[in-house]
Amino acid sequence: MIANSYSDKHLAIMTPSATDPDGELTELWVFGYGSLTWNTCFPYTARVVGSVAGFSRRFWQANTVHRGTPDKPGRVATLVPDEKAVTWGVAYQLKGHGQVTRALQHLTIREGALGGYTTEAARFIPADESLPTRQVLVYLSTEENPLYLGHSTQQETAVAIAAAAGRCGHNADYLFKLARFMRTSVPMVTDDYLFDLEAMVKELLGQERAEELETSETVADELSLTCRKDYVPMPCRFEYLPCRTVAECHRIETRPASESG
């Protein structure tokens, strides 16, 4: 049951009427502001660029699996309460019991068990003003999370990112893809924190290495297309790391995404 993964309060806030007669969720919107902007690995019905207010995006979350190791943790994005801030990202519409179930099963492991994130509800405002605002589910870290590092200077963060790599690739690849998303999807917005951090990491890496990471395709890139379009990997037999290797992903039992509700 999906309700076992989230509190009744969250589910009620997110979708007050999108349930079937048995009380199962049949529609949900999830907001991504980090790797979910380019790598979903679950089927969805709609993808909308927009923002949530009241949060700043900061690389204050350690990562010891996807973009780092226990010995050399990477840094990935989380949201920090900030009344004056706005964070841009993508909202994904999950429609039908199949899509909702698959996405939450995936995210419970990827963002919860491995990422250490908890969930909150937030108001999403689409960049396209003709579209309605809506409640979205957001994954973020808290001070109770052992992977949450708290305030870090950009220099400290840049040094960690430049040195770390995990099973989904180099930590800088994550940062560069997020910066690219901002420039291509919301070019009218200047994210000073993100762009300054990007520049610092590039300087630490050197021009040749930075360009190599910016232009190379990672395992996560290939799987984001494979998983989103035609087939969706079922839970991995190891640590549920859908981007461990492309070959492993293809060996995992799959089902057509069209079977989703």
Side-chain angles (χ1 to χ4, degrees), residues 36-102:
L36 283 176
T37 60
W38 74 85
N39 181 22
T40 52
C41 227
F42 53 78
Y44 54 83
T45 297
R47 179 184 188 274
V48 180
V49 174
S51 63
V52 296
F55 296 97
S56 290
R57 176 170 41 214
R58 295 290 182 265
F59 279 65
W60 294 354
Q61 176 81 353
N63 186 280
T64 59
V65 177
H66 299 106
R67 297 292 178 172
T69 65
D71 293 334
K72 192 173 290 186
R75 301 289 185 94
V76 293
T78 187
L79 294 182
V80 179
D82 184 344
E83 292 182 0
K84 298 180 180 180
V86 171
T87 295
W88 289 83
V90 177
Y92 296 97
Q93 182 191 31
L94 311 173
K95 198 168 185 179
H97 178 65
Q99 284 191 2
V100 172
T101 300
R102 289 190 186 189

Side-chain angles (χ1 to χ4, degrees), residues 37-240:
T37 60
W38 74 85
N39 181 22
T40 52
C41 227
F42 53 78
Y44 54 83
T45 297
R47 179 184 188 274
V48 180
V49 174
S51 63
V52 296
F55 296 97
S56 290
R57 176 170 41 214
R58 295 290 182 265
F59 279 65
W60 294 354
Q61 176 81 353
N63 186 280
T64 59
V65 177
H66 299 106
R67 297 292 178 172
T69 65
D71 293 334
K72 192 173 290 186
R75 301 289 185 94
V76 293
T78 187
L79 294 182
V80 179
D82 184 344
E83 292 182 0
K84 298 180 180 180
V86 171
T87 295
W88 289 83
V90 177
Y92 296 97
Q93 182 191 31
L94 311 173
K95 198 168 185 179
H97 178 65
Q99 284 191 2
V100 172
T101 300
R102 289 190 186 189
L104 292 186
Q105 286 176 340
H106 175 81
L107 293 170
T108 295
I109 304 300
R110 170 177 167 176
E111 305 294 338
L114 295 178
Y117 291 82
T118 186
T119 55
E120 293 289 344
R123 175 61 61 179
F124 175 78
I125 304 174
D128 183 345
E129 296 181 357
S130 68
L131 298 176
T133 64
R134 61 182 70 256
Q135 289 286 88
V136 292
L137 191 70
V138 180
Y139 288 81
L140 72 168
S141 191
T142 65
E143 294 182 358
E144 288 73 29
N145 183 341
L147 293 175
Y148 180 70
L149 302 172
H151 184 276
S152 301
T153 68
Q154 283 192 295
Q155 180 64 30
E156 292 171 335
T157 304
V159 169
I161 291 174
R167 292 178 179 177
C168 285
H170 198 287
N171 199 180
D173 170 71
Y174 174 105
L175 170 64
F176 296 164
K177 282 185 170 60
L178 186 52
R180 184 185 309 156
F181 160 78
M182 287 295 297
R183 291 193 177 96
T184 58
S185 299
V186 283
M188 66 287 194
V189 176
T190 300
D191 190 325
D192 291 331
Y193 172 86
L194 181 65
F195 296 157
D196 288 349
L197 184 60
E198 176 194 35
M200 294 174 72
V201 170
K202 285 184 176 181
E203 183 176 357
L204 289 168
L205 290 171
Q207 181 178 351
E208 183 176 349
R209 179 58 172 152
E211 289 180 353
E212 178 187 353
L213 289 171
E214 277 195 299
T215 57
S216 62
E217 288 192 3
T218 65
V219 172
D221 293 328
E222 297 179 53
L223 289 180
S224 69
L225 295 175
T226 301
C227 300
R228 187 168 66 245
K229 299 296 183 182
D230 301 318
Y231 291 90
V232 180
M234 303 309 290
C236 182
R237 295 174 177 81
F238 307 98
E239 297 178 85
Y240 193 77

